[in-house]
Amino acid sequence: MKFPVSELIERVHPPPISEVKGWLAAANPKLALIDLCQAIPDYPPPPELIDHLAQVMRDPLTSRYSIDEGLPEVREAICRGYRRLYDACIDPSQICLTIGASQALWLAMVTLCRAGDEVIVQLPAYFDHPMALAVLGIRCVFAPFDESTGGLPDTAAIAGLITDKTRAILLVTPSNPTGAVTPPETIRELHQLARRRNVALVLDETYNSFITGGVRPHDLFRDPSWGDHFVQIASFGKTFALTGYRAGMLAASARFIENALKAQDTMAVCQPRVTQHAVRYGFEHLSDWVAQNRVMMERRHEVFRAEMAQPGNPFRLVASGPFFGWVGHPCAGKSGREVAKRLVEESGMLLLPGEVFGPGLEGYLRLAFGNITEETIPEAVERFRKFQT
């Protein structure tokens, strides 16, 4: 290639999961691989959903575009589901269906920001968020990680980072990578801060179906004027085991959605119809199935916590939840990348280094529980114990 590409994109690090999976060629051949890398469910969608989609595919309309924001009946089904989960005051005009949560983030950021604006991002940050902001020329201002709280946001610290260039506070809850759930009262405080400073609170709630006990994530949606300073990024890929369908959503005020649709039309036009039908079926028929999977992930988490607490483990469990564990590694002076590569080569364990989730996090590793069965967790933790530091 002889022509230049954007300097903004050249400075962005490669996709971390692709990088880490490239290490597999050197994995210990004597050990069965334990994959703790990517946050995807290891179970398929339920057979009744697959049967339903087989019928949907026979409809010629399924092969056509929908309107940009998604079929009205699908958005109505989501609204009914949100009224159950959040007691939400929400209507279809406040929803745009997207190609996964990743596209919802892009829609939110290009609607909110211009190049040179600032977005406050809580560390540890889901790596796609700083990557996207960097590509767009938006300055990512990191709120510091406090290990003593498991990385939960500090409202006062975030308030101190707001400038006249700040357009949004961006937070993932439950957190990817730590698994920690931001308490509803903290979310309320952050929303009040956003309102006082006239910025947006943007919550990525991709894992909102995996909060222990199935409790309500927060009460922001109960306020009829929630869209004044709140934007939600959502995904149904984990909820309904549809990660390959790219089932995401942007929820915001009707005016925000109207503007976001200008970008939606140039990005993707619309979420595929087959994905929309899958999401509608999930909201209308799969509540019990989703709850059963949440309980299964809770059990995995409980087993993992119990195993990590056993004596003789040089790795420290700093924070965790039903989908993720955030672990401090024992190799002083070594980066997370160096330790993660050794774990592949010596222990047959695939996971992500902490530094891909933000600066200053080289002492940590992220584990995802989606790919590991409850029965395999003791073996995984035993490999941590045997690791030579």
Side-chain angles (χ1 to χ4, degrees):
M1 183 181 78
K2 301 295 185 182
F3 51 84
V5 299
S6 164
E7 292 179 359
L8 293 174
I9 203 164
E10 278 201 312
R11 289 197 290 264
V12 176
H13 61 70
I17 290 176
S18 298
E19 177 192 0
V20 168
K21 289 194 172 182
W23 303 341
L24 284 172
N28 188 332
K30 298 179 181 179
L31 294 170
L33 180 71
I34 295 179
D35 186 352
L36 296 163
C37 176
Q38 197 165 9
I40 53 175
D42 63 346
Y43 48 86
E48 58 267 34
L49 173 54
I50 301 302
D51 292 344
H52 172 70
L53 294 180
Q55 296 297 319
V56 165
M57 292 302 294
R58 292 187 175 93
D59 183 349
L61 280 177
T62 302
S63 300
R64 298 185 182 180
Y65 295 125
S66 76
I67 58 174
D68 288 16
E69 56 267 50
L71 296 166
E73 59 269 30
V74 178
R75 289 179 288 127
E76 285 279 9
I78 293 170
C79 288
R80 291 192 295 271
Y82 266 46
R83 290 176 196 127
R84 292 191 300 270
L85 178 60
Y86 289 98
D87 193 22
C89 297
I90 190 168
D91 66 67
S93 70
Q94 297 170 309
I95 287 175
C96 177
L97 302 179
T98 61
I99 311 300
S102 297
Q103 196 226 341
L105 172 80
W106 275 75
L107 275 185
M109 292 300 111
V110 300
T111 304
L112 276 166
C113 302
R114 300 159 298 182
D117 286 340
E118 297 177 353
V119 172
I120 297 170
V121 178
Q122 177 63 51
L123 288 176
Y126 173 48
F127 51 78
D128 272 355
H129 291 177
M131 290 170 70
L133 294 172
V135 171
L136 291 167
I138 299 166
R139 182 168 178 253
C140 188
V141 178
F142 289 115
F145 169 65
D146 182 352
E147 182 176 303
S148 69
T149 69
L152 292 175
D154 181 296
T155 304
I158 289 172
L161 298 173
I162 295 176
T163 72
D164 58 1
K165 292 185 177 182
T166 304
R167 302 304 303 274
I169 301 163
L170 177 58
L171 174 66
V172 184
T173 180
S175 169
N176 177 2
T178 70
V181 178
T182 301
E185 54 271 23
T186 303
I187 292 175
R188 194 177 308 116
E189 290 175 1
L190 289 168
H191 183 247
Q192 291 168 350
L193 171 64
R195 186 168 55 196
R196 289 196 303 272
R197 303 300 295 271
N198 199 29
V199 300
L201 174 62
V202 182
L203 296 184
D204 181 335
E205 298 188 69
T206 293
Y207 300 93
N208 63 356
S209 294
F210 297 93
I211 298 176
T212 300
V215 299
R216 179 174 295 156
H218 55 76
D219 60 4
L220 299 189
F221 280 116
R222 299 181 72 182
D223 182 348
S225 62
W226 62 265
D228 288 352
H229 292 93
F230 173 44
V231 174
Q232 189 205 45
I233 295 163
S235 169
F236 312 118
K238 311 306 194 291
T239 304
F240 303 126
L242 296 169
T243 53
Y245 285 67
R246 310 305 296 127
M249 184 183 82
L250 180 69
S253 70
R255 182 183 172 206
F256 192 95
I257 296 296
E258 286 174 5
N259 282 288
L261 289 175
K262 301 169 188 176
Q264 169 81 339
D265 199 62
T266 67
M267 281 183 182
V269 180
C270 62
Q271 187 183 86
R273 277 187 185 247
V274 65
T275 301
Q276 295 185 48
H277 284 290
V279 169
R280 180 185 180 185
Y281 187 93
F283 270 99
E284 292 181 341
H285 300 285
L286 298 181
S287 295
D288 290 343
W289 182 84
V290 170
Q292 290 167 8
N293 288 321
R294 186 201 76 240
V295 170
M296 178 181 67
M297 296 300 294
E298 288 175 10
R299 286 200 306 268
R300 293 183 189 184
H301 179 218
E302 290 164 4
V303 171
F304 178 77
R305 284 173 56 87
E307 291 291 329
M308 286 293 290
Q310 297 296 320
N313 189 347
F315 292 79
R316 297 179 297 109
L317 181 58
V318 175
S320 60
F323 234 93
F324 298 108
W326 184 244
V327 171
H329 71 69
C331 301
K334 301 293 184 182
S335 70
R337 186 172 272 103
E338 291 174 292
V339 176
K341 288 182 78 171
R342 280 190 58 201
L343 282 164
V344 175
E345 296 166 1
E346 300 170 20
S347 306
M349 301 261 282
L350 191 68
L351 35 72
L352 287 176
E355 56 263 39
V356 305
F357 298 97
L361 300 173
E362 292 83 0
Y364 301 95
L365 305 166
R366 190 203 77 175
L367 288 63
F369 303 137
N371 279 333
I372 187 169
T373 65
E374 187 176 331
E375 293 73 23
T376 309
I377 290 172
E379 169 63 19
V381 178
E382 182 62 20
R383 294 188 192 184
F384 280 135
R385 282 197 196 89
K386 292 179 177 178
F387 185 75
Q388 298 296 312
T389 61

